[in-house]
Structure formats: C-alpha cells, structure tokens
Amino acid sequence: MIFTAGFAYSILLILTINTKHSSQCKSQIKLKMDGGFYLLVVIGLVSLGVVNSVHGQGTRVGFYSSTCPRAESIVRSTVQSHLNSDLTLAAGLLRMHFHDCFVQGCDGSVLISGNNTEKSAPPNLALRGFEVIDDAKTQLEAACPNVVSCADILALAARDSVVLSGGVSWQVPTGRRDGLVSRESDVELPGPDDSVDLQKQKFAALGLDTKDLVTLVGGHTIGTTSCGLLSSRLYNFNGRNGPDPTIDPSFLPQLQALCPQNGGAPSKRVPLDNGSQTKFDTSYFTNVKKGRGILQSDQALWTDPSTKALVQRYSLGLTFNVDFGNSMVKMSNIGVKTGSEGEIRKRCSAFN
C-alpha cells in the first residue's frame, strides 16, 4: 500500500458503511511492454466489489462521455505535464488517492485545505501533488463547468501516474461526487509497523481481501518514506537496542548510512523500492524477498505464510500489473458518493 513518503504504508480502519456489491463485469487493460508495444489483456468476470451509499447509483466507466468527453484526456495531459518536470509526483498522486479512499471513502475529502482538515493531519503532511489536481480542475472547469468532481480527478490522476511510471492502464469507473466533510480527527491511519494480521483486519473492514492487501502495498514500488519512520527498526527494534533481524545483513549498513542514529534528519527520504523508486515494476517484491523491504509492514509480507506466496508470485512478474488495476478499481469505489449526494466542487481545495 500502500503507499510515499508520508504514507509510509498507512491504511485506515474506518467505520462500517452501507454497501452493496456490483455484479461481475469485464474490463480491458493495456499492458505496456518494453519495446513500446502494447498487449491487450482481457480480464473476464472481475468482481469490482463496488461500494455505494444507500442512495447512490454507483460509478461506471465513461460516466462523462456525453457531459465532458475530454475529461480523462485533460487529466492525463495535466498529469503528464507535471510529471515531465518531476516524476516523483507520481508516487504522491497515487498515495493521495489511497489516503482519500481510506477516510470517508473516495470523495476528495483529503484535498480540502485549512485547519483541522484531513490534509492537516500528521499522516497527510507529506502528501504531494495537490497542485496537479488543482491544475486539472481549473482546466476542466473551463471546458465543462460544474461537471467533473475532484474525487474523480484524483482517481484518474492516480491511474495516469502509474501508467506514466511504466505500469499498466486500467479503466477507471467515474461518477463520484465530492464529500462535504473533511476532519483531521477522522484520520487514524496506522503506522508502518503493523503485523500482517492487523493489516488484513484493516483491509477487510473496507471490503478488501488479502490479495488486495499485497497487491496494493505493491504501490510502494514508487515513492519514498522518511528516516523518522525507520529509526526504531534500524536501531531499537522492539526495544531490544538493535536492528530488526529480518533486514538483510548486507543491506543494513546502507540503510543506517542513509539514516544515522545520531545527527540524521528524521525527514530525510529513503526509497521504498531500493534502486527503482520512480519505476512502477515488480522489483519491490524482489527486494522484500531479499530482506530489503524498507518498512516493517512491508517485510512482514514475506515472513507471514498467508501473504508469502503472493509476494513470491509477484516477484516473478506474474499477474501483478493486472491484479493491481483490479484492486485499484475495487478500492476506488469505497464509500463513493453518487447521484444527489455531496457536490461538484468549483475548487478542489474548498467546499462550495
């Protein structure tokens, strides 16, 4: 998961929400190959696990086809323009979508600026890419006033960030509306030290299973985390005045050099996928197998029998990209507001 710098793999255990699951459907995904060619992969009968509110009518692919036909292309070109200047923003946008969905559902609530909002909560202070969403919203308001929600912009931008980092594309269902609540007190994102059992409990509370957990945590293939979140793992693991024994002994000196015990800046950044922090690939899982998972919660995926087989499978490059798209669709429909619920913001950083 999930999951940069400030995300550090945070996921929220949220209150139970009214849900109903969509029927299974077919989707198509373009798999980008090294030679620049694309392999069309047809995913049949993929359960999307769509979560709707009681009065919502749900999301669907092509929601803006008649009301704002250029919506997705505008978001894509905006994201590409910003990533051309700073590719590290891709991880920020991906993480931001995760943080949005795990608090109040996928409703753009993390985008609201101000005191005591989700954005001001400590786990969200390191999120990046808000200017990309604001830029896309400005262009969409000029093309199609009061039509495209900020929540949808964020979902589309997350997908485009993955693709522009070398990952695959997937069809993003749209039709979300923006929420009317954004409270710092609702942000209870766990830290990077959770056991696999605790991670599974928190995912299950949102309708996500163990496969979704491992797949979405694979988002750590891009981005960074802070030395402050690694200190205890490197120097005082479980209060034992020593490092976490699951860290590869040959890798430990490198981490300790990046994050020295004394005199090191806690805010200094460390790649979550050593050697491949800006490329969306499967090397994250290879690193976890080698004991080079950066966060304790990442490394635990290899040592826990319930998740080890998936880490092994993804490290071999098998189905990860396709599974990631499927799990992203499933996650992006958590607690969506549709129909007459919420609003379509004029600016993503403020309620109307």
Side-chain angles (χ1 to χ4, degrees):
M1 181 170 205
I2 273 183
F3 337 76
T4 72
F7 179 54
Y9 174 68
S10 11
I11 299 286
L12 167 72
L13 171 58
I14 73 172
L15 297 175
T16 301
I17 51 179
N18 293 316
T19 65
K20 57 184 178 181
H21 297 283
S22 71
S23 60
Q24 294 179 322
C25 66
K26 295 180 180 180
S27 62
Q28 293 184 330
I29 296 180
K30 288 182 178 179
L31 176 60
K32 187 173 183 180
M33 308 301 287
D34 290 339
F37 297 95
Y38 290 87
L39 172 65
L40 185 64
V41 181
V42 179
I43 310 302
L45 300 175
V46 177
S47 175
L48 299 183
V50 177
V51 181
N52 301 319
S53 54
V54 175
H55 303 292
Q57 298 175 7
T59 59
R60 61 180 173 83
V61 173
F63 182 84
Y64 298 110
S65 59
S66 60
T67 56
C68 191
R70 294 183 56 238
E72 294 198 25
S73 63
I74 288 173
V75 173
R76 185 181 307 110
S77 62
T78 303
V79 172
Q80 182 162 22
S81 175
H82 284 268
L83 264 57
N84 284 343
S85 300
D86 184 0
L87 188 56
T88 66
L89 285 173
L93 291 167
L94 179 58
R95 237 59 99 217
M96 194 189 302
H97 183 41
F98 294 148
H99 284 223
D100 182 40
C101 291
F102 287 106
V103 183
Q104 298 286 349
C106 308
D107 65 351
S109 53
V110 76
L111 302 171
I112 297 294
S113 296
N115 296 328
N116 302 315
T117 62
E118 290 177 30
K119 189 176 181 179
S120 66
N124 289 334
L125 294 178
L127 289 178
R128 303 176 61 229
F130 292 98
E131 69 277 14
V132 182
I133 305 302
D134 291 340
D135 187 0
K137 180 61 172 174
T138 297
Q139 295 183 53
L140 285 165
E141 283 299 297
C144 316
N146 200 37
V147 172
V148 182
S149 70
C150 298
D152 277 344
I153 294 172
L154 185 49
L156 292 167
R159 186 269 310 275
D160 296 337
S161 294
V162 168
V163 174
L164 292 167
S165 299
V168 306
S169 186
W170 63 88
Q171 291 185 314
V172 177
T174 46
R176 300 166 190 79
R177 287 171 65 86
D178 298 319
L180 300 172
V181 175
S182 181
R183 292 185 295 253
E184 180 177 349
S185 59
D186 290 335
V187 180
E188 300 176 3
L189 301 174
D193 303 328
D194 286 346
S195 67
V196 169
D197 283 344
L198 184 54
Q199 293 179 61
K200 288 193 294 187
Q201 291 173 25
K202 294 173 179 178
F203 273 74
L206 300 175
L208 302 173
D209 58 26
T210 300
K211 184 177 181 180
D212 296 318
L213 162 64
V214 179
T215 304
L216 292 173
V217 173
H220 280 162
T221 183
I222 55 176
T224 61
T225 190
S226 66
C227 284
L229 293 172
L230 299 180
S231 181
S232 62
R233 187 174 186 227
L234 295 179
Y235 300 104
N236 191 29
F237 183 68
N238 289 343
R240 298 173 182 173
N241 196 33
D244 181 349
T246 64
I247 300 175
D248 175 7
S250 66
F251 185 51
L252 180 62
Q254 182 178 336
L255 282 180
Q256 291 178 328
L258 290 170
C259 302
Q261 185 171 16
N262 298 310
S267 60
K268 185 177 179 181
R269 310 306 299 177
V270 178
L272 284 165
D273 185 3
N274 184 56
S276 183
Q277 70 183 80
T278 60
K279 185 177 180 181
F280 199 93
D281 55 23
T282 58
S283 63
Y284 161 83
F285 295 103
T286 301
N287 280 328
V288 168
K289 279 179 56 178
K290 294 178 178 178
R292 297 189 170 203
I294 302 302
L295 302 175
Q296 181 180 338
S297 54
D298 288 351
Q299 193 57 52
L301 298 176
W302 179 245
T303 57
D304 190 285
S306 68
T307 52
K308 185 173 184 176
L310 278 168
V311 173
Q312 170 69 11
R313 179 178 181 83
Y314 291 154
S315 72
L316 299 175
L318 302 175
T319 73
F320 170 64
N321 286 303
V322 170
D323 289 350
F324 188 81
N326 291 338
S327 290
M328 284 291 288
V329 170
K330 190 174 177 181
M331 183 199 74
S332 74
N333 280 292
I334 294 172
V336 294
K337 296 163 181 63
T338 60
S340 61
E341 299 170 310
E343 65 181 8
I344 303 297
R345 290 185 209 139
K346 295 178 174 61
R347 290 188 302 125
C348 290
S349 60
F351 302 120
N352 291 342

